[in-house]
Amino acid sequence: MASFHLKIVTPESLVYEGEAERIVVRTVQGDVCILPRHIDYLSALGDGEARVTYDGHVHKAHCVGGMLHVAGGKVEVLSTKFEWMDGE
Amino acid sequence: MAGASMKDIKLRIRSVESTKQITSAMQLVAGSKLRRARQRMEDTRPYMNAAREVIADIAAHKDVISPFFRKQESAARCVVVIAGDRGLAGHYNAAVFNLADGLIGDDTQVLPIGKKAVDRYARRGAKLVSDVYLKVERVSSYDCRNMAERLIECFLHGDYGEVTLVATTFESAMTQTAFTTTLLPVTPAEFEPSEKPRTQLLMEPGPAALLNAVMPDYLAGVLYGAACDAVACEMAARRNAMDSATKNAEQMISDLSLSYNRARQGSITQEITEIVAGAEQ
């Protein structure tokens, strides 16, 4: 399955870096889903659930504020707080 | 004469030795805290770099009109000063205050972070934005978020025309440099993108609205990064200061031991001379 490079960072640490197949995050204007080969994109994040699909599984997380940045096929989530729900 | 001076020297040696014990213990503590602080500082780097990139992308759009890019009318200024929690760290605090004092005038508000900074500006009667950030080590990203929101609110309201940060940057374990930088307004030139602006970049909502939304996050990130740097700098400065204090104490002990031995030898020689002189009579 096609994938893209995903990096999730918070001010405190690097939460995730690696390949992902899909990510759904809540922006200030509603949920947005990023798939591979997305065009360059920039948006501000609201508070809500994030769903990241990697290794064929959906991983849910609690994501608070920040930015979503897609540049050259690489996706960066810069969040104030990002916590996996399944205790990863 | 020799006996009393011998006792004095012995006492001094003992007191220098206990001072040395304290300084070398402080050096060890600062060393281990430095290791932790450096790790924390390095953990903030990815976020900082990515956040700068985002702001650069927005700033690359020359047609963005945002209050964040414009200096406010107000002549007042807000200075965020990040200093240490404790002294005995060489010239660490002094270097920050030297820079900060040059910026602080009558209509300046100060946001001090760290006990030394809070105490200093409270004592001087400066107008404080807040005096609750007593421990730099304990400043969390949430605290920074609160600070950023407050600063932005006051900036947009026109309470101050400019927000400046005075802090210390960690260059290496041996070198830390105090610096000042303007947090608000943001100067687009500062973020000169390496490549030409991406024309295909889709922004939701528009650039100006986006900037309003991400600015608190960005500023909070900058403040948090600066606080983490400051902690590492303080620990490094203290470790270096205590290292040289310990070395000085060692030098002093060896000098004092030398004079102690000389005094002891002198008293023995004198005694022998006296006995010989007594025998000859």
Side-chain angles (χ1 to χ4, degrees):
Chain A
M1 193 175 170
S3 65
F4 56 85
H5 189 81
L6 173 69
K7 197 162 145 187
I8 301 171
V9 285
T10 68
E12 276 114 2
S13 63
L14 180 68
V15 178
Y16 177 83
E17 184 165 20
E19 294 299 305
E21 286 119 43
R22 195 173 104 114
I23 178 168
V24 183
V25 279
R26 181 152 307 164
T27 72
V28 286
Q29 292 191 316
D31 281 7
V32 162
C33 174
I34 305 286
L35 291 169
R37 293 156 58 83
H38 196 284
I39 64 161
D40 291 354
Y41 180 75
L42 191 55
S43 187
L45 298 180
D47 298 353
E49 191 186 84
R51 290 193 295 279
V52 186
T53 312
Y54 59 88
D55 300 335
H57 294 285
V58 180
H59 303 261
K60 287 185 185 175
H62 189 62
C63 175
V64 182
M67 325 161 200
L68 170 68
H69 189 212
V70 185
K74 286 184 180 167
V75 181
E76 280 172 342
V77 175
L78 294 91
S79 170
T80 311
K81 196 169 183 176
F82 195 97
E83 275 168 2
W84 297 110
M85 278 181 191
D86 40 7
E88 273 177 59
Chain B
M1 159 249 156
S5 132
M6 261 168 75
K7 201 178 165 211
D8 286 349
I9 296 172
K10 194 119 205 196
L11 275 175
R12 290 241 18 224
I13 292 180
R14 215 166 287 161
S15 96
V16 174
E17 254 165 10
S18 61
T19 310
K20 188 190 128 189
Q21 262 175 359
I22 294 169
T23 56
S24 67
M26 282 182 77
Q27 184 197 344
L28 289 177
V29 171
S32 81
K33 280 192 173 176
L34 171 65
R35 224 168 305 133
R36 224 175 322 143
R38 267 185 98 157
Q39 185 56 48
R40 197 162 84 117
M41 181 184 82
E42 266 147 34
D43 285 344
T44 67
R45 293 283 194 258
Y47 183 88
M48 287 305 302
N49 295 339
R52 278 185 78 87
E53 232 173 81
V54 170
I55 302 291
D57 264 355
I58 304 176
H61 280 248
K62 297 281 183 252
D63 51 340
V64 185
I65 298 164
S66 167
F68 291 115
F69 291 156
R70 228 182 14 242
K71 197 169 186 281
Q72 297 285 322
E73 294 296 308
S74 170
R77 179 203 280 265
C78 179
V79 182
V80 183
V81 183
I82 307 183
D85 293 333
R86 256 165 274 164
L88 288 181
H91 68 296
Y92 170 73
N93 288 314
V96 173
F97 293 145
N98 266 347
L99 272 182
D101 287 351
L103 295 169
I104 293 169
D106 290 336
D107 52 357
T108 312
Q109 297 211 23
V110 184
L111 173 54
I113 303 172
K115 191 161 188 306
K116 283 273 158 188
V118 174
D119 286 353
R120 180 187 172 93
Y121 292 107
R123 202 169 52 234
R124 294 191 157 201
K127 278 177 264 171
L128 303 187
V129 178
S130 160
D131 58 358
V132 297
Y133 302 112
L134 282 173
K135 283 202 176 295
V136 190
E137 269 178 281
R138 299 269 168 81
V139 167
S140 66
S141 55
Y142 273 99
D143 292 333
C144 292
R145 175 81 199 199
N146 288 339
M147 283 182 234
E149 272 167 9
R150 182 132 177 217
L151 289 174
I152 286 174
E153 194 190 312
C154 293
F155 177 76
L156 293 180
H157 190 253
D159 291 350
Y160 6 93
E162 218 182 307
V163 180
T164 316
L165 170 72
V166 184
T168 314
T169 172
F170 188 92
E171 280 166 28
S172 71
M174 298 309 285
T175 336
Q176 302 90 34
T177 323
F179 70 99
T180 65
T181 177
T182 309
L183 295 178
L184 290 171
V186 173
T187 22
E190 208 187 305
F191 298 95
E192 210 52 73
S194 47
E195 61 225 81
K196 59 179 188 298
R198 283 189 272 269
T199 44
Q200 282 295 311
L201 182 66
L202 176 65
M203 294 194 207
E204 274 180 357
L210 193 59
L211 204 56
N212 286 341
V214 300
M215 210 56 203
D217 289 316
Y218 170 69
L219 202 58
V222 171
L223 288 173
Y224 184 73
C228 291
D229 263 44
V231 175
C233 287
E234 188 188 348
M235 293 313 158
R238 179 162 302 129
R239 197 190 64 175
N240 294 344
M242 289 303 119
D243 183 42
S244 52
T246 309
K247 281 196 187 121
N248 282 345
E250 271 161 13
Q251 181 64 44
M252 233 170 144
I253 289 170
S254 94
D255 287 351
L256 283 171
S257 319
L258 203 67
S259 21
Y260 174 78
N261 289 337
R262 202 168 287 149
R264 193 176 58 104
Q265 190 57 58
S267 78
I268 292 168
T269 313
Q270 197 185 345
E271 238 170 80
I272 292 173
T273 322
E274 278 162 12
I275 291 166
V276 170
E280 274 171 0
Q281 272 176 1

